[in-house]
Amino acid sequence: MHLTWEFPPYKVGGIGTVLEDLTRSQLSQGIEPVVITCGFEGKVGYENRDGVHVYRFDADYIPAEDFHSWALQMSMLMQNKASEVMNEHKNIDIIHAHDWLVATAAVGVKHMYRIPLVSTIHALESGRYGGISGDRQELIHSLEKKLAYESWKIVCNSEFMKRSISYSLSIPHDKIDVIPNGVNIDKMRADFDHGAEKAKYALPHESIVFYVGRLVWEKGIDILVGAIPSILEKQPDAKFVFAGCGYMTDRLKKQAYDLGVADKVLFLGFVDDETLKRLLNISDVMVVPSRYEPFGITAVEAMSCGLPVVVADTGGLAETISHDIDGIKVWPESSNSLAWGICRILGDHNLAASLSENAYKKIEKQYNWSSISTRLKSVYDNVSKEYSANDWKPSVSVSQDG
Amino acid sequence: MQRPISYITNYRFKDVSQMNENEMNQLLLRKILRQLKIDPEDHEAQNTPRNILMISAEYLPKDLTPQSLHCKSLADGLVDKNMNVDVISYDPWKAGQTVEMGGVKVHYINNPIKTYSPLTWALTLAMEINRTASDIYHREGGIDLIHAHQWEMFPCGLSLQAAIKKPLIVNYYSLQHHRAPDVNNGYTDSVKQIEWRGSQKSQKVMVNEDWLKNEIIKYYSPEPQKVDVVNSEEKQWTKKIVRDYRWVFKNWNNGGYEQ
């Protein structure tokens, strides 16, 4: 049973997309995935989504002073929904929680039904803001710690995250398994008129430098904007297209205006899956300038479309990309280094072609969902085996009593 | 699961030497019930919840408040009526301990989460309440009825109710409308929604005075007959509560509530 606050069609970050692909691939592993998630705009109740059982509870009206207390109230409602579903599906073997937002629900259900809990920590609060300061961050940090403590096994998507979780949450290494996120290559293919699509964003002779992600500090988008003047000096036909939204949007627009490059930057805001797919197929280079990146799914998606990538040598990105083989790594927090990397790709078509070819092969081999869900299944199997040998069990089936 | 008392066969006139193990156990159980002054054929006894879980952030001797006094007197009164009472309460200094006080088992918990408001405190404390309630439920013979005191305990009471499918009684000592009159912000709206949900999803609402009953009905609109006034200064007030417990328990077992 997966507990997640976002699941398609409702998406905020990358968890929803990852879970949709993961649960679908779990079906072929003989696993019967059940998802408990928020329902918005009246879309509540049960949905059989391509074989995945999805239960949505009403999260439309939860009054709250801030996002944190909203999340805690949402989590209590999630726990009630999960209990209802547990009583209905009597064959749930593992509870799989995704991030701190569902921590209270996951811990509550784990104890009441005495079923092992596995957690995927997709990102850490200490990484999002470069440390823990202030009472809101303390709350999230201690919830992450509690979730990790209560979990039988923790799954994360990179060695970088494993080290961060171990250090930040004081969790032993052997409790953490690294399983990367995957990408559905077939889903990334698109058949459309490239010229007409490109015309929506740039002139025919322009090269598109693309960024997708939240416009927030940790993503380092300000570093990319800072690099634009240097890039334009060498590559005057570059056009910068940014997809995504976030609290830094206005600040970034002002930064571009102050640097005199506002006419070369296009802020698209949130884009749907189809538009994103097309953008990945028409762009010339994808940039991931993150300060903090647990994994970097956007780089993997770009690579699966044969798009050369320039990434900051940080976090999970540093593990995914092999420099000068399937992408270019640049110094984190450095606009100059970023400009150098982007110009290399825009100025050398042979290099760009070689990088994209190698990148595609790597994704096809290492980041396909089939192998990823097999690895996750082996985590589940090990946990179930240990659980069977353990005396921590329900005395009666909770749902049978009463 | 507790075995219904009506299943006990009458072996009163059978020779003990001819009894098998099962019959011996039945006889022993009958003797125990007699010592507890429970008539095995008594239908009222069958409809009386035996294992009560009370959850209250405040409890004597740590807190000296109307709520803690009420909870302590109630727990003691229920033990006098041969009920097994487990109380889960908050005390960082005694966290992890179970103290038996006059037959009442008090389980103390702490909140490991760093919170910044009573709301975030209450919602995160629920994890420890769940863990402790799970130990009581799975190890110590079950829970027949949950009694949650004041709004901080309502979310957890509701989640326990959803998991173990047992009736929930909620006790109000005050309302957010009076604690923060004329305040409209996200925080007070959250607390009001929790109070509203408690009044709607529980099987019985208890208050200590008529005025509060009327206020609850005015603000949260529960069915008026669902709200009972139980004043701990009245004589035989615990008897009234036990009567309410029986009524709720009987209706619950007979499918009288939406479960």
Side-chain angles (χ1 to χ4, degrees), chain A residues 61 63-66 68 73 76 79-80 87 111-114 135-136 138-139 142 146 394-395 398 401, chain B residues 1 113-114 116 123 128 130-131 134-135 137-138 155 159-160 162-166 186-187 189-190 193:
Chain A
Y61 183 68
E65 59 186 318
D66 52 26
H68 307 72
Q73 291 177 82
M76 292 306 291
Q79 186 179 342
N80 296 348
N87 294 343
H111 282 296
M112 290 318 298
Y113 291 86
R114 295 206 160 185
D135 47 15
R136 265 70 176 170
E138 288 279 10
L139 173 86
S142 52
K146 177 73 173 167
S395 60
V398 177
D401 195 10
Chain B
M1 191 163 66
I113 307 301
K114 290 178 183 170
Y116 56 86
L123 293 168
E128 287 303 294
N130 272 302
R131 189 180 57 74
S134 159
D135 284 345
Y137 185 74
H138 292 292
S159 63
L160 288 172
I164 64 174
K165 298 184 91 177
K166 296 293 178 189
Y187 176 83
D189 285 351
S190 303
Q193 198 187 53

Side-chain angles (χ1 to χ4, degrees), chain A residues 69-309:
Chain A
S69 59
W70 179 89
L72 290 172
Q73 291 177 82
M74 177 278 294
S75 190
M76 292 306 291
L77 297 177
M78 178 178 279
Q79 186 179 342
N80 296 348
K81 188 70 189 175
S83 295
E84 200 183 288
V85 176
M86 291 286 291
N87 294 343
E88 190 185 315
H89 288 257
K90 298 184 194 306
N91 54 349
I92 303 285
D93 299 313
I94 301 264
I95 303 154
H96 192 153
H98 297 267
D99 267 5
W100 69 270
L101 286 107
V102 303
T104 61
V107 173
V109 175
K110 168 200 156 177
H111 282 296
M112 290 318 298
Y113 291 86
R114 295 206 160 185
I115 291 176
L117 168 66
V118 171
S119 297
T120 296
I121 298 184
H122 296 265
L124 283 173
E125 186 65 4
S126 56
R128 286 187 198 103
Y129 296 98
I132 298 294
S133 62
D135 47 15
R136 265 70 176 170
Q137 279 196 283
E138 288 279 10
L139 173 86
I140 296 175
H141 181 63
S142 52
L143 276 168
E144 287 171 342
K145 214 167 186 171
K146 177 73 173 167
L147 181 63
Y149 171 78
E150 293 277 359
S151 299
W152 206 293
K153 275 281 180 190
I154 297 161
V155 176
C156 62
N157 44 31
S158 63
E159 289 293 336
F160 161 77
M161 274 301 287
K162 181 174 178 172
R163 288 192 298 273
S164 303
I165 291 167
S166 180
Y167 179 77
S168 177
L169 307 181
S170 307
I171 300 297
H173 275 250
D174 59 359
K175 194 176 169 175
I176 310 169
D177 282 319
V178 178
I179 301 177
N181 289 335
V183 65
N184 188 339
I185 293 178
D186 294 336
K187 215 168 77 175
M188 301 309 289
R189 290 199 182 107
D191 187 20
F192 61 96
D193 181 349
H194 285 223
E197 189 67 20
K198 187 175 177 181
K200 292 180 188 172
Y201 310 103
L203 296 170
H205 64 277
E206 285 182 322
S207 307
I208 295 180
V209 178
F210 184 52
Y211 165 86
V212 59
R214 286 173 297 135
L215 303 184
V216 296
W217 178 83
E218 74 205 65
K219 297 292 178 189
I221 184 76
D222 53 313
I223 302 166
L224 175 57
V225 175
I228 294 174
S230 321
I231 298 167
L232 288 174
E233 269 180 32
K234 290 179 185 165
Q235 299 289 337
D237 287 338
K239 179 73 183 272
F240 299 84
V241 178
F242 301 160
C245 43
Y247 62 82
M248 280 183 77
T249 307
D250 291 340
R251 211 182 307 172
L252 293 166
K253 282 180 180 172
K254 185 173 184 304
Q255 188 187 359
Y257 181 80
D258 291 345
L259 290 170
V261 295
D263 60 322
K264 282 287 192 177
V265 186
L266 191 59
F267 289 89
L268 298 178
F270 179 80
V271 296
D272 58 34
D273 285 350
E274 184 57 32
T275 311
L276 174 61
K277 200 161 54 180
R278 290 179 177 213
L279 278 162
L280 288 171
N281 279 281
I282 59 164
S283 296
D284 295 282
V285 59
M286 164 87 169
V287 188
V288 190
S290 302
R291 291 185 169 93
Y292 172 73
E293 195 62 75
F295 177 68
I297 186 72
T298 53
V300 174
E301 283 177 344
M303 289 160 82
S304 75
C305 292
L307 181 61
V309 294

Side-chain angles (χ1 to χ4, degrees), chain A residues 320-322 326 358-367:
Chain A
T320 312
I321 309 295
S322 302
D326 46 40
N358 292 337
Y360 185 81
K361 281 181 191 163
K362 185 184 226 178
I363 298 303
E364 205 174 25
K365 193 177 170 192
Q366 295 178 22
Y367 295 90

Side-chain angles (χ1 to χ4, degrees), chain B residues 1-247:
Chain B
M1 191 163 66
Q2 195 177 358
R3 190 169 186 178
I5 295 164
S6 57
Y7 288 1
I8 298 166
T9 329
N10 193 342
Y11 294 112
R12 207 174 297 170
F13 305 110
K14 198 167 180 179
D15 186 352
V16 176
S17 62
Q18 292 176 353
M19 286 182 177
N20 61 27
E21 193 183 349
N22 183 40
E23 290 167 342
M24 287 288 284
N25 286 340
Q26 296 271 340
L27 184 67
L28 187 64
L29 184 55
R30 178 171 284 282
K31 278 187 175 173
I32 293 167
L33 290 172
R34 206 157 38 234
Q35 278 176 1
L36 291 171
K37 294 176 186 168
I38 298 171
D39 180 354
E41 314 305 331
D42 181 358
H43 290 284
E44 197 175 59
Q46 290 173 40
N47 287 321
T48 302
R50 286 281 140 218
N51 303 306
I52 310 298
L53 174 67
M54 280 176 48
I55 47 177
S56 172
E58 297 173 6
Y59 197 75
L60 281 178
K62 183 176 74 71
D63 307 287
L64 190 59
T65 61
Q67 182 182 332
S68 65
L69 287 165
H70 182 91
C71 288
K72 176 79 169 70
S73 311
L74 173 59
D76 291 343
L78 294 174
V79 167
D80 288 344
K81 301 260 183 299
N82 294 321
M83 290 180 173
N84 303 318
V85 182
D86 286 277
V87 177
I88 301 177
S89 191
Y90 172 77
D91 187 340
W93 296 100
K94 291 183 188 161
Q97 295 178 37
T98 296
V99 179
E100 195 155 336
M101 288 193 270
V104 178
K105 279 187 194 168
V106 187
H107 309 264
Y108 290 105
I109 56 166
N110 190 14
N111 190 351
I113 307 301
K114 290 178 183 170
T115 58
Y116 56 86
S117 68
L119 177 67
T120 51
W121 177 82
L123 293 168
T124 50
L125 186 71
M127 288 189 284
E128 287 303 294
I129 297 174
N130 272 302
R131 189 180 57 74
T132 311
S134 159
D135 284 345
I136 297 165
Y137 185 74
H138 292 292
R139 260 199 241 148
E140 298 180 17
I143 295 165
D144 296 328
L145 186 141
I146 308 150
H147 194 152
H149 296 263
Q150 197 62 337
W151 72 268
E152 293 97 331
M153 298 295 115
F154 294 174
C156 186
L158 289 164
S159 63
L160 288 172
Q161 180 198 40
I164 64 174
K165 298 184 91 177
K166 296 293 178 189
L168 169 70
I169 291 179
V170 292
N171 224 117
Y172 292 76
Y173 296 85
S174 61
L175 297 182
Q176 185 68 7
H177 288 273
H178 308 128
R179 289 189 297 270
D182 303 324
V183 176
N184 286 304
N185 56 32
Y187 176 83
T188 54
D189 285 351
S190 303
V191 176
K192 284 172 189 172
Q193 198 187 53
I194 288 170
E195 289 183 339
W196 170 79
R197 194 172 280 127
S199 76
Q200 301 298 313
K201 304 272 182 189
S202 63
Q203 279 62 55
K204 179 68 77 184
V205 173
M206 288 187 181
V207 293
N208 57 3
E209 53 186 333
D210 284 320
W211 173 80
L212 192 52
K213 174 180 175 171
N214 293 334
E215 291 292 288
I216 286 175
I217 293 168
K218 182 171 96 182
Y219 287 117
Y220 300 130
S221 315
E223 292 168 18
Q225 66 271 22
K226 190 171 155 180
V227 189
D228 265 1
V229 180
V230 183
N231 190 335
S232 57
E233 287 172 12
E234 283 177 12
K235 277 184 184 174
Q236 296 197 312
W237 66 285
T238 47
K239 202 173 174 179
K240 195 175 175 185
I241 288 189
V242 171
R243 201 167 60 227
D244 277 348
Y245 278 9
R246 276 185 188 143
W247 173 253

